Amino acid sequence: MNAFEPQRQDSLKRRWQERRQQLGGGGGAITPPSSHLIRNPNGASLHSFPALLDDDLVSTMVPPVTVVLEGRSICQRISLQKHASYQSLAKALRQMFVDGSDVGAVNDKDLDLSNAVPGHVIAYEDMENDLLLAGDLNWKDFVRVAKRIRILPAKGNSRRGRRGA
């Protein structure tokens, strides 16, 4: 886990609380249920961060990830939270990296990560810089941990160049 993660969460909590107060108006601020109150040593209640699941917080604050197509010098960025599934991501990657005339060659129902970019494999780097095959995790976990998508050429026969030998 990153050493700055608790500070980042605290910062997100403060910004969320400030936003809630702005939306609630001056004296009529929205208050969380009493089960979410924290009491200081004097017994006075302090409002705490409402009981949002970590999934809710992460899904609203996920930054775009870099998409790298091996062999190209220019990268793209994509917001994973704008997609609902791997199929939606595959369609976006196909539109980014495959000719527009070829987009209709594969039916949307048949489109997945294995055929999104023909001749390539879709992998991702997680927070620990491990390179993993995309599609192995459920979608929400993938969105949470992916920091870079790498599109790598599929390995063919390694002896292809030695036919005459």
Side-chain angles (χ1 to χ4, degrees), residues 79-105:
S79 296
L80 294 177
Q81 76 265 14
K82 292 183 180 178
H83 298 279
S85 66
Y86 284 113
Q87 186 176 13
S88 173
L89 174 63
K91 185 176 179 181
L93 293 174
R94 187 166 188 86
Q95 289 173 347
M96 274 186 204
F97 296 109
V98 180
D99 263 342
S101 60
D102 191 28
V103 172

Side-chain angles (χ1 to χ4, degrees), residues 26-44:
I30 300 171
T31 58
S34 60
S35 62
H36 301 296
L37 294 178
I38 297 175
R39 303 226 180 251
N40 69 12
N42 299 333

Side-chain angles (χ1 to χ4, degrees), residues 42-62:
N42 299 333
S45 62
L46 303 170
H47 295 294
S48 69
F49 185 64
L52 284 179
L53 298 174
D54 284 338
D55 286 347
D56 295 336
L57 185 60
V58 169
S59 67
T60 60
M61 304 307 271
V62 176

Side-chain angles (χ1 to χ4, degrees), residues 64-128:
V65 297
T66 303
V67 181
V68 180
L69 179 59
E70 193 74 20
R72 289 200 186 168
S73 59
I74 298 176
C75 302
Q76 303 275 351
R77 297 199 37 96
I78 191 166
S79 296
L80 294 177
Q81 76 265 14
K82 292 183 180 178
H83 298 279
S85 66
Y86 284 113
Q87 186 176 13
S88 173
L89 174 63
K91 185 176 179 181
L93 293 174
R94 187 166 188 86
Q95 289 173 347
M96 274 186 204
F97 296 109
V98 180
D99 263 342
S101 60
D102 191 28
V103 172
V106 176
N107 187 344
D108 282 352
K109 292 179 186 175
D110 299 328
L111 187 63
D112 60 18
L113 292 178
S114 66
N115 60 8
V117 181
H120 291 77
V121 175
I122 312 294
Y124 70 96
E125 290 180 25
D126 66 4
M127 296 301 182
E128 297 172 350

